[in-house]
């Protein structure tokens, strides 16, 4: 499959002496705050975390997230997807606004990891901004996580990860989780534990995500408020599923669904109150060429079934 995103990337304006701090389009949002105000997000549960010698996402505390472009073609591919998606007339506004990060261009920022070498960052909405105690889960969707025409070494690497996780069996895998319980206690499984999850382990994490942190038995006390209800996870996932059942514009390889809720407020808000369901990570999106994205849709249906079972089992 030949992606038309490559043509879009070539057509986008590059840096110039008169415009040295922007790559692609200038952000529509306010300029970034001082670098001293930017920090690694506390709620990050997957991917590379920003540190003194490593690039990673940053937030400014004012509702924006700065994601460094990945090396090689992946960074330009993701930027090109945002350019195409944010202005595509066939994307329903409800889908774009409800399930995808707001895109504000791409900006060069100095980094502690590479002093003197500004790095391009996507400027996006911080999807969990405003949540005082965010409980977060990252779920990578799809039994296959590499796009067509990928080089053989990359296919082998992804295939090993998919077979070593629940991706092939379930059509999705949990990439990370952070759960805030009573008194602010936080449960965050370590990466080796996440990588070792089997089907039963995935079910435990999905139950633990809506349970008291102190309760190893996973009481699922928040399942009705988080997973159920008119605006809960299930309702939102089913709305997303309805779109994937008809959309043939894009195929989303290695993309994730990010779940979030405010542990301090969700019980008081009632079922579905304050729950967020968002798609993230688009470095491997390719043209749909008029074909339904069965790889993503199958994983999404599988996730819906797992969560639906937990809601049905909860008194």
């Amino acid at each position: 499959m030949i992606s038309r995103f490559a043509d879009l990337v070539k057509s986008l304006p590059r840096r110039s002496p008169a415009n040295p701090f922007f790559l692609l389009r200038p952000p529509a949002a306010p300029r970034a705050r001082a670098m001293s105000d930017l920090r690694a997000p506390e709620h990050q549960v997957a991917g590379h975390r920003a540190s003194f010698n490593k690039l990673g996402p940053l937030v400014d505390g004012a509702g924006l997230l700065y994601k460094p472009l990945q090396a090689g073609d992946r960074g330009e591919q993701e930027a090109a997807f945002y350019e195409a998606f944010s202005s595509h007339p066939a994307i329903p506004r409800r889908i774009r606004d409800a399930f995808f990060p707001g895109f504000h261009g791409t900006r060069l920022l100095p980094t502690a990891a590479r002093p003197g070498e500004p790095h391009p960052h996507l400027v996006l909405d911080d999807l969990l901004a405003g949540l005082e105690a965010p409980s977060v889960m990252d779920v990578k969707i799809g039994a296959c996580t590499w796009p067509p025409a990928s080089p053989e070494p990359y296919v082998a690497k992804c295939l090993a990860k998919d077979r070593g996780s629940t991706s092939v069996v379930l059509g999705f895998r949990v990439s990370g989780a952070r759960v805030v319980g009573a008194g602010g206690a936080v449960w965050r499984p370590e990466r080796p534990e996440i990588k070792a999850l089997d089907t039963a382990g995935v079910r435990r994490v999905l139950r633990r995500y809506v349970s008291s942190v102190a309760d190893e038995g996973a009481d699922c006390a928040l399942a009705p408020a988080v997973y159920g209800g008119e605006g809960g996870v299930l309702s939102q996932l089913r709305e997303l599923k309805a779109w994937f059942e008809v959309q043939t514009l894009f195929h989303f390889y290695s993309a994730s669904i990010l779940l979030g809720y405010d542990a301090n407020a969700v019980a008081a808000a009632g079922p579905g109150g304050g729950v967020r369901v968002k798609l993230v990570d688009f470095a491997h999106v390719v043209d749909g060429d008029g074909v339904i994205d069965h790889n993503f849709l199958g994983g999404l249906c599988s996730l819906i079934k797992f969560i639906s079972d937990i809601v049905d089992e909860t008194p």
Side-chain angles (χ1 to χ4, degrees), residues 39-56:
R39 62 188 185 280
E42 295 180 2
H43 50 66
Q44 183 179 346
V45 296
H48 297 292
R49 189 171 178 83
S51 63
F52 179 76
N53 59 356
K54 184 179 294 184
L55 289 171

Side-chain angles (χ1 to χ4, degrees), residues 201-214:
V202 166
R203 185 174 286 106
R204 284 196 302 272
V205 172
L206 289 172
R207 291 173 59 87
R208 189 74 179 272
Y209 183 64
V210 289
S211 299
S212 168
V213 171

